[in-house]
Amino acid sequence: MPSPKSVPPAASGIAAFLLVLLLLGSAAEVCLAGGAVTVDLGTVYASNKGDEVDPGLMNLRGKLQVMFNYSSYKMIDRRRRTLAVGESGTFELPGRRAMHVSPLPAPGNKVRLSVQIREGGKNLLTTTVGMSRGGMVLVGGPSHEDGVLILILSAS
């Protein structure tokens, strides 16, 4: 193996160039991981009172009925917020509850969200969800009136 003094100048120039490319590639990945995520939260009230399904939920009716087994589904709120990776956003929920969401670094076309649902000072749920951009997750939430809240969480 040659000593460092005997490395030709062209070889050290190539090594320096490759190091710069490697560092630029890492910086690009950090920039992508730090991009904004638009979080959309739909709050649905599900119960066995009646059999009406909100017109805005018709495309999810089958999934809702299989996953949650209620006869009535009503969208009671829908909010959207754009957050940077590491930034936290709060969505108010019925019943003095709130959902805190923070996007986490994720590769490529993926989104990871840290989610916490609180009622007053009490923690009801802490989890991390992952999805493709544009995907959605249905979360069976806390009880509400004569039924439950279902949270439709999507991110793009």
Side-chain angles (χ1 to χ4, degrees):
M1 179 188 230
S3 69
K5 291 180 185 177
S6 65
V7 174
S12 62
I14 292 171
F17 178 72
L18 291 173
L19 179 61
V20 168
L21 283 179
L22 181 63
L23 291 174
L24 287 175
S26 296
E29 286 179 24
V30 169
C31 289
L32 286 174
V37 175
T38 300
V39 178
D40 191 326
L41 175 67
T43 305
V44 176
Y45 170 58
S47 74
N48 285 319
K49 283 186 158 183
D51 60 358
E52 293 184 41
V53 177
D54 193 294
L57 297 170
M58 289 307 254
N59 60 336
L60 293 176
R61 181 181 190 159
K63 285 184 183 181
L64 289 168
Q65 289 176 329
V66 167
M67 291 178 68
F68 301 103
N69 199 27
Y70 288 93
S71 59
S72 175
Y73 300 90
K74 180 181 177 187
M75 179 75 79
I76 57 175
D77 193 20
R78 187 163 186 184
R79 296 184 187 191
R80 177 176 284 186
R81 187 165 286 134
T82 300
L83 303 167
V85 169
E87 180 182 8
S88 183
T90 301
F91 294 85
E92 297 299 321
L93 300 173
R96 295 181 22 249
R97 300 176 185 116
M99 184 173 83
H100 305 282
V101 178
S102 294
L104 301 172
N109 196 33
K110 303 294 181 188
V111 175
R112 288 181 58 228
L113 302 173
S114 171
V115 177
Q116 183 179 53
I117 299 175
R118 300 186 59 83
E119 182 175 12
K122 181 180 170 187
N123 185 32
L124 300 178
L125 172 74
T126 299
T127 191
T128 299
V129 297
M131 65 188 89
S132 295
R133 284 193 182 263
M136 93 169 78
V137 174
L138 302 176
V139 179
S143 62
H144 181 69
E145 296 177 3
D146 295 327
V148 298
L149 296 177
I150 298 172
L151 306 175
I152 302 172
L153 186 60
S154 62
S156 57

